[in-house]
């Protein structure tokens, strides 16, 4: 006969996630438009962070680091011609679609 399971035995604690690496990206004020040379400079940094070798940086991580919306980061990546990460595969899924 097996011993009865206790509530504590049935509850598992999720393993802690490793702390995210710091992305060296500028924080942009909410509502502030980026145009011209500033937008190009920002785009280069965002694309470089997104293509970080050995680490899969997500658009959401870039959003958190920069203070920009998902749509704004998606647009910057699309304009720069960056290929999008595939869903959970680690490969490229093709061009970012708008």
């Amino acid at each position: 006969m097996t011993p009865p399971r206790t509530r504590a035995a049935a509850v598992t604690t999720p393993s802690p996630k490793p702390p995210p690496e710091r992305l060296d990206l500028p924080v942009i004020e909410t509502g502030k438009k980026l145009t011209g040379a500033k937008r190009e400079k920002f785009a280069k940094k965002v694309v470089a962070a997104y293509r970080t070798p050995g680490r899969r940086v997500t658009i959401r991580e870039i959003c958190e680091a920069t203070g920009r919306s998902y749509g704004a980061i998606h647009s910057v990546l699309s304009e720069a011609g960056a290929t999008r990460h595939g869903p959970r595969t680690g490969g490229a899924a093709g061009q970012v679609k708008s």
Side-chain angles (χ1 to χ4, degrees), residues 1-5:
M1 186 158 137
T2 60
R5 287 178 54 139

Side-chain angles (χ1 to χ4, degrees), residues 4-92:
R5 287 178 54 139
T6 63
R7 184 168 176 86
V11 176
T12 58
T13 311
S15 60
K17 291 182 181 179
E21 293 178 27
R22 170 115 166 86
L23 298 175
D24 190 25
L25 294 170
V27 176
I28 309 297
E29 292 178 41
T30 303
K32 185 173 182 179
K33 288 250 183 207
L34 284 177
T35 57
K38 287 184 180 182
R39 184 174 177 88
E40 289 176 21
K41 186 176 178 181
F42 179 74
K44 285 180 185 179
K45 290 182 179 187
V46 166
V47 170
Y50 191 67
R51 293 180 176 164
T52 301
R55 179 164 186 257
R56 186 177 166 120
V57 177
T58 65
I59 294 175
R60 294 199 190 281
E61 287 175 308
I62 295 171
C63 294
E64 289 176 18
T66 62
R68 303 304 280 181
S69 70
Y70 186 95
I73 299 301
H74 189 276
S75 295
V76 166
L77 291 170
S78 293
E79 291 168 11
T83 54
R84 202 178 92 196
H85 298 307
R88 297 185 207 103
T89 62

